[in-house]
Amino acid sequence: MSTKSIWRLPRIGSGMVITFGVLVSLIVLLCSGQLVGWDPTWRIFGVFPLQPPFFDMHIVMDYAACAAEGFDAYVPHSCNPTNFNIPPIWLWLGFLGLNGSHSTWLSVAIIVSAVGVMVVLFKGRSVADGVLALVAILSPSVMMGVERGNLDVLIFALVGGAALIYEEQRTGRITGAIALLGLGILLKLFPMFSVALAARFNRRTFLFAIVITVFSLAYLAAISEYIPLIRSNVPTTFLLSYGYKAPFLGLDRLLTKAGLNPTGLADTWIPLFLGILTLIFAAAAALINFHYGRMFCTVTNSVAGTAFLFGSGIYCGTFLLGTNFIYRLMFLLLCLPQLQDWQREKSNEKKRKIERGLFATVLSALWLNGNWIGQSTFLLVMPQLIDWLLFFGLAAVLMSNFLNSAIPGTSSRLAASQPV
């Protein structure tokens, strides 16, 4: 009589691939860091490093410690060579006795939390899905946020956690998601763009968007005296940045290096006009597809769909802020599960090409925006084109889904238009 072994190998899936890949990367970082140092190690990952390690976290903690001693954190260079440009709630850490010496463990904690969210988000998916997710995670854009110990990593964990919790038929889960997003808004403001969930329009997503909007406006009013100070302290540069102003700043940088006069277009109405014009074209594309009953990139009522709406909303919203450092592109990771689901759907070739193209554009944005090639012309042209194309594509998807879900009778009309 034969007996079966009670020992079984763990099922290999996307979560295990991501976990294993991150652990291997960590080992490479630690070993390389001991052998050649912090700076050369991060250049292996295509990241332009800064000292001290976890530079951005040091800035926050330095200003928090100074504020506890009575310094005005919003005075430029008052406590650190880099300006303080985030909401004042972070300064409360100084009253808890935290300072720059705590930067390393705080950075490690938020990085671990973000990795945990990614593992859970991809849990149960295929090995191929995990490999693609790992490729995106190890991109220069995402790894720049890790190297800096940037607070966007924490916000990513909060927004991703909200996507995992949210479930439209359970009020408790909706409340939990709003709580996580509300904390994110308190800490960094831009999670307010999670109102893009209303693109999957129904009564609950509409109420969700209303609550987030009201909370965001109330918070902005409460800290209104700090908003101009935050804006003035935020660096504006094209290098390692995305946003509607970035290519114009890059053009002036190239002209200056060539000994020519800069155009100064970044400070005019033209960049914002082009951003609005792109939104108009995206709306036109959505309306045309709606009119002819074409459905593509339909966001599902699932964790993957919710994460996609949060990630795409934050990308489009922050794009219209002017410039953002590329580590904020990490929120595109939230779009990956839905993008992967679309690849497995049976559909016509034109629809598949659009969905594949959007997937490729997201991966290109994550990889090409880094400083790994180091050529100013390349950094101006290719990544900026990708960023604008992605802005158009994601905006069109959001508007198309809103039209298809908000206007009564759409589903039956579209079903009737499909060939039998």
Side-chain angles (χ1 to χ4, degrees):
M1 183 174 63
S2 61
T3 59
K4 295 183 179 180
S5 172
I6 62 173
W7 299 101
R8 292 183 180 180
L9 291 174
R11 181 178 179 272
I12 298 177
S14 56
M16 183 173 289
V17 170
I18 294 172
T19 302
F20 180 75
V22 170
L23 287 175
V24 169
S25 301
L26 175 62
I27 293 171
V28 171
L29 282 168
L30 292 175
C31 294
S32 179
Q34 291 297 317
L35 291 173
V36 299
W38 181 269
D39 288 10
T41 294
W42 281 103
R43 291 182 190 278
I44 295 173
F45 288 86
V47 175
F48 181 80
L50 295 176
Q51 291 286 354
F54 303 119
F55 180 83
D56 288 356
M57 185 62 76
H58 270 279
I59 296 171
V60 176
M61 302 313 298
D62 287 347
Y63 277 102
C66 282
E69 297 177 2
F71 288 88
D72 186 348
Y74 291 98
V75 173
H77 318 303
S78 58
C79 303
N80 188 286
T82 303
N83 295 338
F84 185 75
N85 54 29
I86 54 178
I89 189 173
W90 285 99
L91 299 176
W92 296 0
L93 294 176
F95 297 100
L96 299 177
L98 299 179
N99 54 48
S101 66
H102 300 93
S103 299
T104 298
W105 72 262
L106 284 171
S107 298
V108 171
I110 65 173
I111 291 167
V112 169
S113 66
V115 172
V117 166
M118 283 299 296
V119 170
V120 177
L121 187 62
F122 279 85
K123 184 179 179 181
R125 293 178 172 270
S126 68
V127 171
D129 285 350
V131 170
L132 286 172
L134 185 62
V135 168
I137 291 170
L138 297 180
S139 64
S141 298
V142 177
M143 295 303 284
M144 178 180 169
V146 173
E147 186 273 335
R148 299 285 197 273
N150 190 268
L151 298 178
D152 280 18
V153 179
L154 172 60
I155 307 305
F156 173 86
L158 292 172
V159 175
L164 291 170
I165 291 175
Y166 183 87
E167 188 175 330
E168 287 182 10
Q169 302 308 315
R170 299 178 65 177
T171 303
R173 283 179 169 266
I174 295 176
T175 303
I178 290 174
L180 287 178
L181 291 171
L183 178 58
I185 292 167
L186 290 176
L187 297 177
K188 210 70 186 292
L189 296 176
F190 63 82
M192 68 178 69
F193 298 121
S194 60
V195 294
L197 184 69
R200 193 174 63 204
F201 188 83
N202 56 51
R203 183 174 63 87
R204 287 181 177 267
T205 59
F206 176 72
L207 292 175
F208 176 94
I210 290 294
V211 171
I212 293 295
T213 300
V214 170
F215 180 82
S216 300
L217 292 175
Y219 184 54
L220 288 172
I223 63 168
S224 59
E225 62 180 298
Y226 296 101
I227 299 300
L229 300 175
I230 292 172
R231 291 294 297 171
S232 64
N233 284 346
V234 173
T236 302
T237 176
F238 98 95
L239 201 60
L240 299 175
S241 297
Y242 74 94
Y244 74 87
K245 281 189 176 183
F248 298 92
L249 293 168
L251 175 61
D252 284 352
R253 171 75 174 270
L254 293 179
L255 290 174
T256 301
K257 289 181 67 175
L260 303 174
N261 293 326
T263 63
L265 289 175
D267 296 322
T268 67
W269 56 270
I270 293 177
L272 182 58
F273 171 76
L274 291 178
I276 295 173
L277 188 62
T278 303
L279 285 178
I280 292 173
F281 283 137
L287 284 169
I288 290 171
N289 282 296
F290 175 78
H291 176 74
Y292 288 103
R294 303 167 186 158
M295 290 187 69
F296 64 93
C297 299
T298 303
V299 179
T300 58
N301 185 5
S302 63
V303 170
T306 301
F308 177 88
L309 292 173
F310 287 168
S312 56
I314 287 175
Y315 176 81
C316 292
T318 55
F319 189 92
L320 291 173
L321 292 180
T323 61
N324 312 260
F325 283 117
I326 59 170
Y327 47 68
R328 195 157 292 166
L329 291 172
M330 70 178 70
F331 288 91
L332 291 175
L333 296 176
L334 297 175
C335 298
L336 293 181
Q338 180 67 86
L339 289 167
Q340 291 174 340
D341 288 346
W342 286 333
Q343 309 310 305
R344 286 187 287 270
E345 290 179 353
K346 293 181 180 180
S347 58
N348 62 64
E349 189 60 27
K350 184 176 181 180
K351 179 181 176 182
R352 289 179 65 84
K353 285 181 178 179
I354 292 173
E355 293 168 347
R356 287 172 182 170
L358 188 60
F359 195 4
T361 305
V362 167
L363 290 178
S364 298
L366 288 169
W367 273 91
L368 295 182
N369 275 280
N371 195 26
W372 59 295
I373 290 183
Q375 298 177 0
S376 295
T377 303
F378 177 85
L379 288 171
L380 170 64
V381 179
M382 185 56 68
Q384 298 302 331
L385 287 175
I386 291 293
D387 295 341
W388 278 81
L389 179 61
L390 184 58
F391 175 58
F392 167 80
L394 291 179
V397 169
L398 292 175
M399 294 178 190
S400 179
N401 276 271
F402 178 80
L403 289 172
N404 290 329
S405 58
I407 299 180
T410 298
S411 299
S412 58
R413 181 175 61 83
L414 290 174
S417 67
Q418 300 301 316
V420 179

PDB file of all heavy atoms in Angstrom, residues 110 273 294 369 382 404:
ATOM      1  N   ILE A 110       8.311  51.752   6.137  1.00  0.00           N
ATOM      2  CA  ILE A 110       7.343  52.090   5.093  1.00  0.00           C
ATOM      3  C   ILE A 110       7.614  51.306   3.813  1.00  0.00           C
ATOM      4  O   ILE A 110       6.677  50.960   3.077  1.00  0.00           O
ATOM      5  CB  ILE A 110       7.309  53.609   4.817  1.00  0.00           C
ATOM      6  CG1 ILE A 110       8.627  54.118   4.240  1.00  0.00           C
ATOM      7  CG2 ILE A 110       6.947  54.377   6.072  1.00  0.00           C
ATOM      8  CD1 ILE A 110       8.576  55.575   3.795  1.00  0.00           C
ATOM      9  N   PHE A 273      -2.548  75.020 -21.139  1.00  0.00           N
ATOM     10  CA  PHE A 273      -3.484  74.937 -22.263  1.00  0.00           C
ATOM     11  C   PHE A 273      -3.346  73.597 -22.979  1.00  0.00           C
ATOM     12  O   PHE A 273      -4.347  72.955 -23.327  1.00  0.00           O
ATOM     13  CB  PHE A 273      -3.238  76.086 -23.237  1.00  0.00           C
ATOM     14  CG  PHE A 273      -4.003  75.968 -24.521  1.00  0.00           C
ATOM     15  CD1 PHE A 273      -5.362  76.251 -24.564  1.00  0.00           C
ATOM     16  CD2 PHE A 273      -3.367  75.545 -25.688  1.00  0.00           C
ATOM     17  CE1 PHE A 273      -6.070  76.125 -25.758  1.00  0.00           C
ATOM     18  CE2 PHE A 273      -4.074  75.415 -26.874  1.00  0.00           C
ATOM     19  CZ  PHE A 273      -5.427  75.707 -26.911  1.00  0.00           C
ATOM     20  N   ARG A 294     -18.573  51.226 -28.711  1.00  0.00           N
ATOM     21  CA  ARG A 294     -17.324  50.488 -28.551  1.00  0.00           C
ATOM     22  C   ARG A 294     -16.896  50.505 -27.089  1.00  0.00           C
ATOM     23  O   ARG A 294     -16.808  51.565 -26.484  1.00  0.00           O
ATOM     24  CB  ARG A 294     -16.217  51.112 -29.401  1.00  0.00           C
ATOM     25  CG  ARG A 294     -16.526  51.214 -30.886  1.00  0.00           C
ATOM     26  CD  ARG A 294     -15.508  52.113 -31.551  1.00  0.00           C
ATOM     27  NE  ARG A 294     -15.833  52.352 -32.947  1.00  0.00           N
ATOM     28  CZ  ARG A 294     -15.372  53.402 -33.645  1.00  0.00           C
ATOM     29  NH1 ARG A 294     -14.576  54.290 -33.047  1.00  0.00           N
ATOM     30  NH2 ARG A 294     -15.697  53.549 -34.907  1.00  0.00           N
ATOM     31  N   ASN A 369      11.726  56.986 -17.516  1.00  0.00           N
ATOM     32  CA  ASN A 369      11.832  58.275 -16.834  1.00  0.00           C
ATOM     33  C   ASN A 369      13.042  58.366 -15.914  1.00  0.00           C
ATOM     34  O   ASN A 369      13.349  59.435 -15.400  1.00  0.00           O
ATOM     35  CB  ASN A 369      10.563  58.558 -16.023  1.00  0.00           C
ATOM     36  CG  ASN A 369       9.475  59.192 -16.864  1.00  0.00           C
ATOM     37  OD1 ASN A 369       9.485  60.373 -17.132  1.00  0.00           O
ATOM     38  ND2 ASN A 369       8.520  58.372 -17.316  1.00  0.00           N
ATOM     39  N   MET A 382      12.023  61.243 -25.219  1.00  0.00           N
ATOM     40  CA  MET A 382      11.277  59.990 -25.139  1.00  0.00           C
ATOM     41  C   MET A 382      10.394  59.871 -23.894  1.00  0.00           C
ATOM     42  O   MET A 382       9.193  59.593 -24.004  1.00  0.00           O
ATOM     43  CB  MET A 382      12.240  58.803 -25.238  1.00  0.00           C
ATOM     44  CG  MET A 382      11.538  57.456 -25.281  1.00  0.00           C
ATOM     45  SD  MET A 382      10.319  57.331 -26.629  1.00  0.00           S
ATOM     46  CE  MET A 382      11.416  57.363 -28.047  1.00  0.00           C
ATOM     47  N   ASN A 404     -19.910  54.900 -19.835  1.00  0.00           N
ATOM     48  CA  ASN A 404     -20.545  53.593 -19.994  1.00  0.00           C
ATOM     49  C   ASN A 404     -21.308  53.152 -18.747  1.00  0.00           C
ATOM     50  O   ASN A 404     -22.253  52.364 -18.841  1.00  0.00           O
ATOM     51  CB  ASN A 404     -19.495  52.536 -20.335  1.00  0.00           C
ATOM     52  CG  ASN A 404     -18.940  52.720 -21.732  1.00  0.00           C
ATOM     53  OD1 ASN A 404     -19.631  53.190 -22.629  1.00  0.00           O
ATOM     54  ND2 ASN A 404     -17.682  52.355 -21.933  1.00  0.00           N
TER      55      ASN A 404
END
